[in-house]
């Protein structure tokens, strides 16, 4: 393990831990991505998206780029939520412009029986090595975020075989064979716990859980098939701040009031002031529409300021309501970050 360096910028950690802060911290989901020319150059050298994940030197390089170029307040390790099913024995392909595709999917209990156990699934040494490399190169400049997909979201990909508008195969299993669904969710949860614990051991300072397909469920099904598994993960990581991003699950946000996490991510459909009243003890993250960054930088600055005013002072991590689009203008991303960095709370 790398030696621990004193953090020069601990703004996001102080925010999540309820400390006094001079301004809100800022980072962006997919901040290491195709909108950066530097990222595209690394991808060309690596040969593929999956090679960038598999080789720590590539993952580390693109993880550090937004810290150097954008001056964000946190790095997030470059990886993909689908490394978990791959490590469990369900490999995927990433075809340009088409998204992920699983040649084999989970259709039966016998398919589940063929999956590797959690201890093997957590053996993602390339990610842990990338974390160690990034921590060394950061030299305490900013914290490093580790992450994983929520079990329900991973379940969707493992049963559907790729992206979908309805995820009808996944939801069919959930409704018709709930015992099978829970068994698979249990295995995914075990693997995710091992994976995140190893990320923290390698040097991740905080973690985020992405429930990208939370919006597919309603309140009762979300409380049955997603929340309990996210809770298990959060309870297994008590020594680092935890952010949960349940995209589209506005109906479930009240359930996070007494949840074992410090932060809750909001998508751009959600009214921050209303959620602040529902979750007074939580730090809220978000939530500008990613498409707003297509606007002129001057407009981006104004929209960013308006957004920040809608969140409670000292309990907000500035971010987007989802990931950056690949064709987002670089100057608008810089305007977004600079607006936050130049802000200050009135004492």
């Amino acid at each position: 393990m790398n030696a621990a360096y004193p953090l020069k910028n601990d703004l996001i950690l102080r925010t999540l831990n309820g400390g006094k802060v001079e301004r809100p911290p800022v980072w962006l989901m997919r901040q290491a991505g195709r909108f950066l020319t530097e990222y595209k150059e690394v991808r060309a050298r690596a040969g593929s998206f999956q090679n960038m994940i598999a080789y720590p030197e590539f993952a580390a390089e693109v993880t550090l780029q937004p810290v150097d170029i954008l001056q964000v307040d946190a790095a997030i390790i470059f990886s993909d939520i689908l490394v978990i099913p791959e490590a469990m024995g369900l490999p995927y392909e990433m075809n340009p412009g088409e998204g992920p595709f699983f040649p084999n999917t989970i259709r039966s209990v016998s398919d589940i029986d063929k999956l590797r156990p959690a201890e093997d699934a957590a053996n993602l040494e390339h990610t842990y090595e990338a974390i160690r490399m990034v921590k060394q190169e950061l030299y305490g400049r900013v914290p490093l975020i580790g992450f994983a997909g929520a079990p329900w979201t991973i379940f969707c990909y493992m049963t559907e075989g790729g992206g979908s508008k309805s995820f009808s195969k996944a939801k069919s299993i959930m409704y018709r064979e709930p015992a099978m669904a829970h068994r698979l969710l249990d295995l995914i949860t075990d693997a995710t716990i091992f994976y995140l614990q190893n990320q923290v051991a390698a040097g991740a300072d905080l973690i985020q859980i992405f429930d990208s397909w939370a919006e597919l469920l309603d309140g009762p099904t979300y409380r049955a098939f997603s929340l309990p598994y996210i809770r298990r993960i959060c309870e297994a990581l008590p020594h680092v701040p935890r952010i949960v991003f349940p995209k589209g699950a506005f109906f479930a946000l009240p359930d996070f009031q007494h949840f074992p996490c410090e932060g809750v991510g909001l998508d751009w459909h959600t009214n921050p002031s209303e959620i602040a009243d529902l979750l007074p003890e939580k730090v809220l993250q978000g939530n500008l529409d990613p498409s707003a960054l297509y606007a002129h930088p001057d407009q981006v600055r104004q929209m960013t300021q308006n957004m920040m005013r809608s969140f409670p002072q000292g309990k907000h991590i500035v971010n987007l309501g989802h990931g950056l689009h690949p064709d987002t203008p670089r100057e608008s991303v810089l305007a977004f970050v600079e607006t936050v960095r130049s802000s200050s709370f009135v004492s």
Side-chain angles (χ1 to χ4, degrees), residues 113-130:
D113 290 338
K114 297 173 187 175
L115 294 173
R116 296 175 188 142
E119 292 85 351
D120 290 343
N123 187 24
L124 289 159
E125 182 57 39
H126 51 80
T127 299
Y128 314 140
E129 179 58 23

Side-chain angles (χ1 to χ4, degrees), residues 4-47:
Y5 299 112
L7 275 172
K8 301 176 180 69
N9 177 349
D10 63 349
L11 201 56
I12 191 170
L13 298 180
R14 277 188 282 140
T15 301
L16 287 165
N17 289 324
K20 186 177 180 180
V21 290
E22 57 277 13
R23 65 166 175 86
V26 57
W27 69 281
L28 301 96
M29 289 179 278
R30 295 191 191 138
Q31 64 187 20
R34 286 175 285 172
F35 79 100
L36 288 173
T37 303
E38 294 85 348
Y39 169 95
K40 288 184 277 192
E41 290 171 352
V42 176
R43 179 160 179 164
R45 296 203 318 267

